[in-house]
Amino acid sequence: MLPVSNRGGEAASFMDAWFTATSATCVTGLVTHDTYTFWSEFGQVVILILIQIGGIGFMTIAISALTLTRRKIGLSERMLMQESVAAPQIGGIVRMSKFVLSGTFFFEGVGAVLLACYFVPRLGLGKGLYYAVFHSISAFCNAGIDLMGYYSPSSSLITAGDSYLVGLTIAGLIIIGGIGFLVWEDLKKWKWHIRSYKLHTKMVLFATAILIVGGTLLIFVFEWGKPSMEGKNLGQQILCAFFQAVTPRTAGFNTIDLNMLTDSSQALMISLMFIGGSPGSTAGGIKTTTMLILVLTIWTELRKRKDLELFRRRVESEAIRHACCLMMFYGLLSIGSSMIISTIENLGMKQTLFETVSALCTVGLSLGITPGLGTVSQIILILLMFIGRVGGITILIAFTNRISMIPSKLPVEKVSVG
Amino acid sequence: MLPVSNRGGEAASFMDAWFTATSATCVTGLVTHDTYTFWSEFGQVVILILIQIGGIGFMTIAISALTLTRRKIGLSERMLMQESVAAPQIGGIVRMSKFVLSGTFFFEGVGAVLLACYFVPRLGLGKGLYYAVFHSISAFCNAGIDLMGYYSPSSSLITAGDSYLVGLTIAGLIIIGGIGFLVWEDLKKWKWHIRSYKLHTKMVLFATAILIVGGTLLIFVFEWGKPSMEGKNLGQQILCAFFQAVTPRTAGFNTIDLNMLTDSSQALMISLMFIGGSPGSTAGGIKTTTMLILVLTIWTELRKRKDLELFRRRVESEAIRHACCLMMFYGLLSIGSSMIISTIENLGMKQTLFETVSALCTVGLSLGITPGLGTVSQIILILLMFIGRVGGITILIAFTNRISMIPSKLPVEKVSVG
Ligand SMILES: [K+]
Ligand SMILES: [K+]
């Protein structure tokens, strides 16, 4: 980033610029410096544009640009596009990218109007609108980068934490952004005909509902009567628990000091960050559908069924292996890298695991250790953000693209498991 | 347990007796009171017998008793026996239980002789032999209950931590006990003809070797120059790292104060405890074979193969689902219960997670919080020990034994994973 991006007028260090650009493009939201106090307005707008580009995806924009110039889209470009939004068919990609773009701007617009009701009276018309647009985009793209350093540095949305308007609007934008384009399309097409939904849509909605309701309840119980909830009335406590249950998947705003939460809540937030959003969205993590498949393997064993069944559909055994692979990949990466950072920086595993999961799942929540990390640790976090954004599976596929699928002919041998 | 079991002469509380009996029978090794200072010699012998019974399994002893009285063994009893040692064929069960018993006593005898060389010069002939036998059985059965409270309460093997003889003997007993009967049989049958080993044997030996070497290396690096290693020479540091890498799977002795270890080492030990030993052994955890299958799913995806392959054999897709189910079951149980205990007792998640994984995987290592826990938390730990010993899968199977396997005829629908 250029010197003009920096508030002090001097050029930001290369590491700071690289870290922030990666964080914005990968819509993670981990920052080495408070966005408001460190970067100038120009720098902030650059960050905002990076978020928007990162959020709706390089591919969507590229395809849209191609559509506007009326060039023909080749099959390989369509394939690439398909991978980035995880669509099951190749057809209709161009139509869908238009749909994605219009949906994005529509929801961001609505969010900005609602947020403006909060910011304009407090910051005046110009600055208020700027804040409303910035935070609406940042929430919808699940970036979680904020400008609230105006009130107090690195405070995220704590200042506005007790406002129902801000809390519910931001949470709504996060949820809509996080369920993914494929679900929007299905909902728009079938409206309330729930039976006609795709299996994917049903799984996403089911898992999202459980995670939000369960997460809110658990955080509420864990924090009941604890210092983090001091001075809040019952409604504000519920709002606070709700917001903290929504934000780990995978926005990265917080309306409460995360260091004040109990260990149980922090562990729950790590789990929620790990799960993340839904395929075909701006969110990261192993994804809700993956989690649902993994949990359902227990249910399948319980029922002694041969196949995993859900909503009267059978899930392929390949999907189980994919899910398993993703979880192991994410799990080993986050635990391994947090061990490395913990050893290098002499920090507790809780903090470093929170930070690495946050980076890998592009969440951006932090227990506050990121600004103080050394270069090696920051590079590890950058790599994690990048891996998390591009997606574990995509990397694995790219890695071995030239090898064709070889059917195995080896004899089976039984193995004892457990 | 009777009043005579207790050193003070008064009856131990019901909770203490229940907890200790469960811990001994399930060969876990978590204790509410230091074994030496709290229980009388009579109580200690009861505990030792419970360990031995628990260790080689109710089933093995029952079947052996039946064999000795020359009664015919029914198919259902053979089936039960088979489940408890995870043998792939029903035939030869009786022969094998004899083999298991003789093997157990042989190794315990050798271990006791070696340990006697350490204990007899220090404690006199009678007490020295008693200590040698007690710790040999406790190590081989992966119980991890010790009598070293004679030196200082709840110190496990820290006093003898710098002795190569004790360290290597105990570690050897733990490893042999933990690789399981099935592997012994294969090794005895084929000696050095590695190619003729069963896939199971190869997987167990491979995974065990990696976990021991990798674990030792990592703990050595994590603790390099840290307070835990103060005053030890290089050999003792390696011995110490080696012992702490072996013991979480799933013995539960420690030769170093676990609270002094770095967070990274503690996290690594939680992971090792979670993995545990091998099927058909006295060890708990999700088992080495399960872990190997889970990690290999990543490798399979990388190679774009349709099936998981290993040592030129194909692993059934059912085994992957089983492995996945086990991991999710153990993971959800240990994280969930540690959140509950953390909330009830106001303790950090690190301590409670260490304790619940230790209980569920019947390890018995502790960061020292077990004696101070309330009744509810202790009952949770008891349940975890029991579930962990009987084995997640066995419980699941027992739960639905009457439902026959129903082949699914539902249509497949593709789902996006990740
Ligand atoms: K984010
Ligand atoms: K044990």
Side-chain angles (χ1 to χ4, degrees):
Chain A
M1 287 193 180
L2 305 168
V4 68
S5 311
N6 192 347
R7 197 165 274 274
E10 289 167 43
S13 80
F14 174 70
M15 271 307 293
D16 284 336
W18 187 26
F19 196 96
T20 308
T22 308
S23 183
T25 316
C26 299
V27 290
T28 306
L30 283 174
V31 283
T32 49
H33 295 279
D34 181 68
T35 313
Y36 176 81
T37 46
F38 189 75
W39 302 104
S40 68
E41 263 95 47
F42 177 78
Q44 292 169 17
V45 172
V46 171
I47 291 174
L48 186 62
I49 292 170
L50 288 176
I51 292 174
Q52 185 73 84
I53 293 173
I56 52 182
F58 290 106
M59 274 310 143
T60 317
I61 288 185
I63 298 282
S64 308
L66 284 170
T67 317
L68 293 176
T69 53
R70 290 175 192 277
R71 266 204 270 154
K72 204 157 171 273
I73 300 173
L75 188 66
S76 68
E77 279 156 344
R78 279 174 193 257
M79 288 280 280
L80 269 173
M81 168 69 189
Q82 185 199 15
E83 259 167 32
S84 85
V85 296
Q89 298 100 17
I90 295 179
I93 290 296
V94 172
R95 188 189 49 73
M96 195 152 110
S97 64
K98 279 185 199 165
F99 172 72
V100 164
L101 271 184
S102 58
T104 302
F105 290 130
F106 172 73
F107 286 117
E108 285 174 356
V110 173
V113 170
L114 287 172
L115 289 177
C117 302
Y118 176 87
F119 284 115
V120 169
R122 281 169 180 76
L123 299 168
L125 189 66
K127 194 159 188 176
L129 279 179
Y130 172 58
Y131 266 58
V133 170
F134 191 99
H135 290 105
S136 179
I137 292 179
S138 184
F140 188 81
C141 295
N142 274 312
I145 293 178
D146 65 275
L147 298 177
M148 304 300 276
Y150 175 67
Y151 295 101
S152 117
S154 305
S155 62
S156 192
L157 294 179
I158 295 175
T159 332
D162 292 339
S163 157
Y164 292 99
L165 178 65
V166 174
L168 294 177
T169 305
I170 299 263
L173 286 169
I174 294 170
I175 295 172
I176 296 171
I179 58 173
F181 313 138
L182 296 168
V183 174
W184 303 353
E185 199 193 18
D186 225 23
L187 290 181
K188 194 191 166 205
K189 190 169 166 195
W190 295 107
K191 302 282 187 304
W192 293 103
H193 297 92
I194 296 173
R195 291 189 166 217
S196 311
Y197 289 172
K198 281 184 202 135
L199 175 60
H200 174 85
T201 306
K202 289 179 192 164
M203 283 173 72
V204 166
L205 294 178
F206 179 67
T208 305
I210 285 184
L211 288 171
I212 291 175
V213 174
T216 306
L217 265 176
L218 284 176
I219 293 182
F220 184 74
V221 170
F222 290 155
E223 299 303 322
W224 178 257
K226 295 277 160 41
S228 57
M229 290 297 184
E230 232 171 58
K232 289 185 196 288
N233 62 37
L234 188 68
Q236 285 168 338
Q237 289 190 22
I238 294 173
L239 176 69
C240 188
F242 170 69
F243 195 91
Q244 258 60 237
V246 168
T247 188
R249 318 179 30 259
T250 58
F253 287 124
N254 50 299
T255 61
I256 202 170
D257 183 358
L258 297 181
N259 279 302
M260 284 179 67
L261 291 176
T262 58
D263 268 17
S264 305
S265 299
Q266 291 176 350
L268 182 69
M269 288 182 85
I270 291 179
S271 312
L272 289 173
M273 292 198 290
F274 193 78
I275 298 171
S278 303
S281 78
T282 48
I286 62 168
K287 304 291 184 306
T288 49
T289 47
T290 311
M291 192 60 193
L292 198 57
I293 288 176
L294 290 172
V295 171
L296 283 174
T297 55
I298 300 180
W299 179 234
T300 308
E301 297 268 349
L302 261 173
R303 299 207 309 166
K304 286 205 132 196
R305 295 290 178 119
K306 249 186 103 62
D307 296 289
L308 203 156
E309 294 166 10
L310 187 62
F311 297 117
R312 306 211 56 73
R313 286 287 181 282
R314 189 151 50 90
V315 175
E316 310 157 286
S317 69
E318 293 246 311
I320 298 173
R321 210 191 58 208
H322 277 304
C324 196
C325 166
L326 253 185
M327 183 173 59
M328 294 305 297
F329 187 67
Y330 271 68
L332 291 177
L333 260 183
S334 50
I335 294 177
S337 52
S338 68
M339 280 180 181
I340 297 172
I341 296 180
S342 169
T343 306
I344 297 176
E345 310 279 340
N346 243 323
L347 287 162
M349 270 293 283
K350 188 181 77 178
Q351 281 89 344
T352 55
L353 186 63
F354 200 97
E355 224 75 5
T356 53
V357 172
S358 179
L360 181 60
C361 301
T362 68
V363 180
L365 290 173
S366 170
L367 292 178
I369 63 168
T370 296
L373 293 178
T375 307
V376 176
S377 306
Q378 287 196 359
I379 290 177
I380 292 175
L381 288 183
I382 290 174
L383 288 177
L384 288 177
M385 287 193 268
F386 188 75
I387 293 172
R389 188 62 194 134
V390 178
I393 285 290
T394 313
I395 281 194
L396 290 178
I397 290 169
F399 200 68
T400 51
N401 221 0
R402 267 157 288 176
I403 303 163
S404 58
M405 188 74 109
I406 305 153
S408 169
K409 296 282 181 199
L410 294 174
V412 179
E413 187 169 336
K414 275 193 187 292
V415 174
S416 302
V417 172
Chain B
M1 288 193 178
L2 304 168
V4 68
S5 310
N6 192 346
R7 195 165 277 271
E10 291 166 40
S13 80
F14 173 71
M15 271 308 293
D16 283 337
W18 186 27
F19 195 97
T20 308
T22 307
S23 183
T25 316
C26 298
V27 292
T28 305
L30 282 176
V31 283
T32 50
H33 295 278
D34 180 67
T35 312
Y36 176 80
T37 47
F38 189 76
W39 303 104
S40 67
E41 263 96 46
F42 177 77
Q44 292 169 16
V45 172
V46 171
I47 290 174
L48 186 61
I49 293 171
L50 288 176
I51 291 174
Q52 184 72 86
I53 292 174
I56 53 182
F58 291 105
M59 275 307 141
T60 318
I61 287 187
I63 299 281
S64 309
L66 284 171
T67 318
L68 294 176
T69 55
R70 291 177 192 280
R71 266 204 269 156
K72 202 156 172 274
I73 300 174
L75 187 67
S76 67
E77 280 157 341
R78 279 174 194 259
M79 286 281 281
L80 270 173
M81 169 67 190
Q82 186 199 14
E83 260 167 30
S84 86
V85 296
Q89 298 100 16
I90 296 180
I93 290 296
V94 172
R95 187 191 50 73
M96 193 151 112
S97 63
K98 280 185 197 161
F99 172 71
V100 165
L101 272 183
S102 57
T104 302
F105 291 128
F106 172 73
F107 287 118
E108 285 175 357
V110 172
V113 169
L114 288 172
L115 288 178
C117 304
Y118 177 86
F119 284 114
V120 169
R122 280 168 181 77
L123 300 167
L125 189 65
K127 193 158 188 175
L129 280 179
Y130 172 57
Y131 266 59
V133 171
F134 192 99
H135 290 105
S136 177
I137 292 180
S138 185
F140 188 80
C141 294
N142 274 312
I145 293 178
D146 65 276
L147 299 176
M148 304 300 276
Y150 174 70
Y151 295 101
S152 117
S154 305
S155 62
S156 192
L157 295 178
I158 295 175
T159 333
D162 293 339
S163 157
Y164 292 99
L165 178 65
V166 174
L168 293 178
T169 306
I170 299 262
L173 287 168
I174 294 170
I175 294 172
I176 296 171
I179 57 173
F181 314 137
L182 296 168
V183 174
W184 302 354
E185 200 195 17
D186 226 24
L187 289 181
K188 194 191 166 203
K189 191 172 166 192
W190 296 108
K191 304 281 189 303
W192 292 104
H193 298 92
I194 295 173
R195 288 189 169 219
S196 311
Y197 290 171
K198 283 184 200 133
L199 176 58
H200 174 85
T201 307
K202 288 180 194 161
M203 282 173 74
V204 167
L205 294 178
F206 180 65
T208 305
I210 285 184
L211 288 171
I212 292 176
V213 174
T216 306
L217 265 176
L218 284 176
I219 293 183
F220 183 76
V221 170
F222 290 155
E223 299 303 323
W224 177 256
K226 294 277 159 44
S228 56
M229 291 296 184
E230 229 170 62
K232 290 185 194 293
N233 62 36
L234 188 69
Q236 286 168 336
Q237 289 190 21
I238 294 173
L239 176 71
C240 188
F242 170 69
F243 195 91
Q244 259 58 238
V246 168
T247 189
R249 322 182 26 260
T250 58
F253 288 123
N254 50 299
T255 60
I256 202 171
D257 183 357
L258 297 181
N259 279 303
M260 284 178 65
L261 291 176
T262 58
D263 268 18
S264 306
S265 299
Q266 291 176 349
L268 182 69
M269 288 182 86
I270 291 179
S271 313
L272 290 173
M273 292 199 289
F274 192 80
I275 298 171
S278 303
S281 77
T282 49
I286 62 168
K287 306 291 186 301
T288 48
T289 48
T290 311
M291 192 60 193
L292 198 56
I293 288 177
L294 290 172
V295 172
L296 283 174
T297 55
I298 300 180
W299 179 234
T300 309
E301 297 268 351
L302 260 174
R303 299 206 308 167
K304 286 204 132 195
R305 295 290 177 120
K306 250 185 103 62
D307 298 288
L308 202 156
E309 293 165 11
L310 188 63
F311 296 118
R312 306 212 56 72
R313 287 287 181 280
R314 188 151 50 92
V315 175
E316 310 158 285
S317 69
E318 294 248 310
I320 298 172
R321 211 192 57 208
H322 277 303
C324 198
C325 166
L326 253 186
M327 183 173 57
M328 292 307 295
F329 186 68
Y330 271 67
L332 291 177
L333 259 183
S334 50
I335 293 177
S337 51
S338 67
M339 279 181 182
I340 296 173
I341 296 180
S342 168
T343 305
I344 296 176
E345 311 278 343
N346 243 323
L347 288 162
M349 271 293 284
K350 188 180 77 179
Q351 281 91 343
T352 57
L353 186 63
F354 200 97
E355 223 75 4
T356 54
V357 171
S358 178
L360 181 61
C361 301
T362 69
V363 180
L365 290 174
S366 170
L367 292 179
I369 64 168
T370 295
L373 292 179
T375 307
V376 176
S377 306
Q378 287 197 359
I379 290 177
I380 293 175
L381 288 183
I382 290 174
L383 288 177
L384 288 178
M385 285 193 266
F386 189 74
I387 293 171
R389 187 61 195 135
V390 177
I393 284 290
T394 313
I395 281 195
L396 291 177
I397 290 169
F399 201 70
T400 50
N401 222 0
R402 267 157 288 175
I403 303 163
S404 59
M405 190 73 110
I406 304 154
S408 169
K409 295 283 179 197
L410 295 174
V412 179
E413 187 170 336
K414 275 196 187 292
V415 173
S416 302
V417 173

